Amino acid sequence: MKARARLAQTMLELVAATTIMGIALVPALRLTRDRIERTEELERAEMRVSVCVSKLEEEMARTVANWDLTDRSGSIATPGHTGIRFVVTKSDSLADGGIPDSLAVVDVTVWHDDDGGSDIDVDEHAIRLATKVARLTSYESAAND
């Protein structure tokens, strides 16, 4: 007798192939989901750094222009990123690392306020940058020109 060529797969072969694909697909989908979550958190972290640097530069300029040591806080609306809040503290006291009327410490903290509570909670990621600025007549005159 002549062997007949098979024209189709058996049910057992289809079940085995489907099982193998399912076993391989589940970890791949989990890995994809984890990567998406990490990418989103990285974007949020980059946004916090960008806002913090921007706010620090803005407050440095305001401080050297007219020796404004006013603390500020608020929120920043950016497309795609809601709930970004900031706190700026400034001081020229010796206790904070400054020199009265000569050197000020500018400290900026930015965080994603996930619960809308207007304060930094333990589970909310934040970034903090600080610098010192000197009070110089040349800065003040350049800012007022």
Side-chain angles (χ1 to χ4, degrees):
M1 279 171 87
K2 231 178 180 186
R4 263 180 46 189
R6 287 186 359 184
L7 299 176
Q9 305 294 324
T10 66
M11 181 60 102
L12 182 60
E13 291 171 328
L14 288 175
V15 169
T18 304
T19 302
I20 291 170
M21 288 176 52
I23 290 170
L25 194 58
V26 169
L29 291 175
R30 186 177 305 127
L31 181 65
T32 302
R33 184 196 67 212
D34 291 346
R35 294 240 174 183
I36 290 171
E37 288 175 0
R38 285 190 178 98
T39 299
E40 289 173 355
E41 181 51 39
L42 181 61
E43 287 176 0
R44 288 170 56 105
E46 288 175 349
M47 179 59 68
R48 285 190 298 271
V49 169
S50 177
V51 168
C52 195
V53 168
S54 175
K55 195 49 90 171
L56 181 64
E57 290 176 350
E58 176 185 327
E59 293 299 328
M60 285 171 51
R62 182 176 285 138
T63 303
V64 299
N66 54 16
W67 207 243
D68 176 10
L69 298 178
T70 307
D71 293 345
R72 289 176 176 52
S73 64
S75 62
I76 297 175
T78 57
H81 295 277
T82 58
I84 298 177
R85 298 199 51 84
F86 69 91
V87 171
V88 177
T89 56
K90 300 182 207 175
S91 175
D92 65 351
S93 76
L94 292 172
D96 295 327
I99 300 172
D101 292 322
S102 298
L103 185 69
V105 177
V106 180
D107 191 326
V108 179
T109 304
V110 174
W111 74 98
H112 276 90
D113 192 16
D114 295 327
D115 65 353
S118 299
D119 59 344
I120 303 172
D121 297 325
V122 174
D123 61 337
E124 293 174 337
H125 297 285
I127 182 164
R128 180 179 175 207
L129 298 175
T131 191
K132 294 181 180 185
V133 291
R135 185 174 193 177
L136 300 174
T137 308
S138 57
Y139 287 164
E140 292 175 358
S141 62
N144 294 322
D145 286 343

